[in-house]
Amino acid sequence: LGTTDVELVLTKEAYIQGWVVDASTGKPIPEFEARISRHKTPTEGPQPTREPWTAFSSPEGKFVLPTTLAVTELDARARGYRWAKKELSLEQGEILEGLVVELEPGVVIRGAPSNGMLCSAAELELSNDHDGIIELPEGSTESKGSKRRPKGAV
């Protein structure tokens, strides 16, 4: 039998450690979720990752998120708060400690908390754009009328 050269590359696991707090009070948010949403590769640069959300429950709002990626963006969300994105510069195998992610309280739309939900312009019937996510400007949550689709309309 012949021999074959095999190159084994081991990736050191890193992690991101920090706290999620209420931006208006500075108090910890005890129930929240976080995920890595962008990473970079040596050949292709920043890439969307969309790793699954990890739920955290901590009275101090503390999290530790392990990763083997070079991270450029972290997302965090919690019920009653706007979703936050935090840009990072974490190389593969590095450890980041002491990150503070501030979540802004959510708005109330038609009497119900938005929970920080974001949506595309197409979902709001503002345009046919399905690609991006829009955020409504401050004060635009009060409705003066309602545009509804007829039943069965697509």
Side-chain angles (χ1 to χ4, degrees):
L1 294 177
T3 61
T4 305
D5 291 337
V6 175
E7 183 178 343
L8 181 61
V9 178
L10 300 176
T11 304
K12 181 181 175 185
E13 185 173 59
Y15 63 86
I16 302 166
Q17 178 272 321
W19 294 269
V20 175
V21 300
D22 183 304
S24 61
T25 66
K27 292 183 180 179
I29 298 172
E31 305 284 331
F32 60 93
E33 295 179 312
R35 73 174 180 185
I36 294 166
S37 58
R38 291 189 71 75
H39 72 284
K40 64 182 175 181
T41 65
T43 56
E44 299 172 13
Q47 301 292 312
T49 303
R50 299 291 183 238
E51 290 199 0
W53 290 98
T54 301
F56 293 93
S57 180
S58 162
E60 302 86 26
K62 187 175 180 178
F63 69 91
V64 176
L65 198 59
T67 183
T68 57
L69 302 170
V71 179
T72 60
E73 191 173 82
L74 175 118
D75 294 342
R77 66 184 182 184
R79 183 172 297 281
Y81 291 88
R82 296 172 60 123
W83 186 343
K85 293 185 174 293
K86 189 86 167 178
E87 292 198 21
L88 309 171
S89 182
L90 183 69
E91 296 301 321
Q92 197 168 20
E94 284 186 339
I95 294 171
L96 175 61
E97 294 180 312
L99 179 69
V100 176
V101 180
E102 295 181 333
L103 298 185
E104 296 285 340
V107 296
V108 175
I109 300 174
R110 294 186 193 122
S114 73
N115 294 328
M117 300 299 291
L118 301 175
C119 56
S120 73
E123 289 172 308
L124 294 175
E125 299 177 350
L126 299 174
S127 76
N128 291 327
D129 181 12
H130 289 275
D131 296 332
I133 294 174
I134 65 167
E135 288 192 58
L136 298 175
E138 191 70 35
S140 63
T141 59
E142 294 300 319
S143 174
K144 293 191 176 39
S146 173
K147 180 179 176 184
R148 298 197 187 273
R149 292 182 179 176
K151 277 193 171 182
V154 179

